[in-house]
Amino acid sequence: MYDTNRMENAVGQDDIKISARKVQVFYGDKHAIKDVDVDILDKTVTAFIGPSGCGKSTFLRCINRMNDTIPIARIQGEIRLDGEDIYDKRVDPVQLRARVGMVFQKPNPFPKSIYDNVAYGPRIHGLSRNRAELDEIVERSLRGAALWNEVKDRLQEPGTGLSGGQQQRLCIARAVATSPEVLLMDEPCSALDPIATGQVEELIEQLRQEFSVVIVTHSMQQAARVSQKTAFFHLGNLVEYGDTDDIFTKPQDSRTEAYISGRIG
Ligand SMILES: Nc1ncnc2c1ncn2[C@@H]1O[C@H](COP(=O)(O)OP(=O)(O)OP(=O)(O)O)[C@@H](O)[C@H]1O
Ligand SMILES: [Mg+2]
């Protein structure tokens, strides 16, 4: 039998990839994230769930400082990556975003070729020594995103010429090409058919072997399939966080219970 202290010790500091404390986000007067504390574990898939407008995307964007690009957004509190404050003045957001990659809900390929979309990050961060190594990264990333077979004969064509679902997989390939330590995915499958969704879910399972993955999803089935931890957000609050199995089978808070049983949201 384990007592609670021993259970807590079993998950040591080393396993915490990201720790957020008292995080607040304001858009002008709108208080979008309220006092969020959470530890996101390494080698784990964490699902963020909750009704539309509850702040999932906002909180996700705090983790790689994408909110910096929204002029009216203001952030307070602390977020640490491997113990390091990501809002410290010495942290370069571009470097941070290579370590903490992101896939958005709407596919946003660059107006470049398929090849150059994937090669972009490795090029600016100097991850390959020559063309052959770059080719290898591009192929591996496209295979990982379950897109290689569809594009291997048209790598020089524009990424924007792909279908919506293909564009999304291209964006996933672009995000994994820099071998991020954390991958943030904001409803990555909302533009995908069931087959591509299954492929992306397989990719997420692979990524978890090495990285920490955070996925926002409106599908409880998806959250249950892919994640080990789940965080439920409601009106800017993180209401409940725990093992995915527990959140879905024995939620502690009545708001979580109402959401997972389809009564709110
Ligand atoms: N750029 C912005 N400017 C002003 N308000 C914003 C901005 N982005 C989000 N908000 C507001 O912040 C709140 C949280 O929005 P957010 O997009 O984080 O929710 P969400 O949980 O991701 O919703 P959804 O499930 O619909 O994607 C909402 O009230 C939203 O209107
Ligand atoms: Mg959102």
Side-chain angles (χ1 to χ4, degrees), residues 118-140:
V118 184
Y120 181 82
R123 275 192 181 122
I124 62 169
H125 295 289
L127 302 182
S128 61
R129 280 169 301 183
N130 51 47
R131 181 67 186 213
E133 276 186 14
L134 191 58
D135 286 353
E136 208 179 290
I137 294 175
V138 169
E139 177 171 343
R140 184 169 9 102

Side-chain angles (χ1 to χ4, degrees), residues 211-248:
F211 312 124
S212 171
V213 180
V214 184
I215 178 172
V216 173
T217 178
H218 279 281
S219 159
M220 320 264 193
Q221 289 81 3
Q222 181 168 63
R225 279 195 301 269
V226 303
S227 73
Q228 294 76 51
K229 294 281 181 184
T230 293
F232 170 67
F233 288 81
H234 186 245
L235 298 175
N237 298 297
L238 199 174
V239 169
E240 194 165 342
Y241 168 76
D243 288 342
T244 297
D245 288 347
D246 293 342
I247 298 282
F248 285 105

Side-chain angles (χ1 to χ4, degrees), residues 27 30 32 51-58 61 70 72 187 218:
Y27 296 108
K30 161 107 196 145
S52 183
C54 67
K56 303 178 296 295
S57 298
T58 298
R61 287 194 301 262
I70 302 174
I72 61 166
E187 300 185 50
H218 279 281

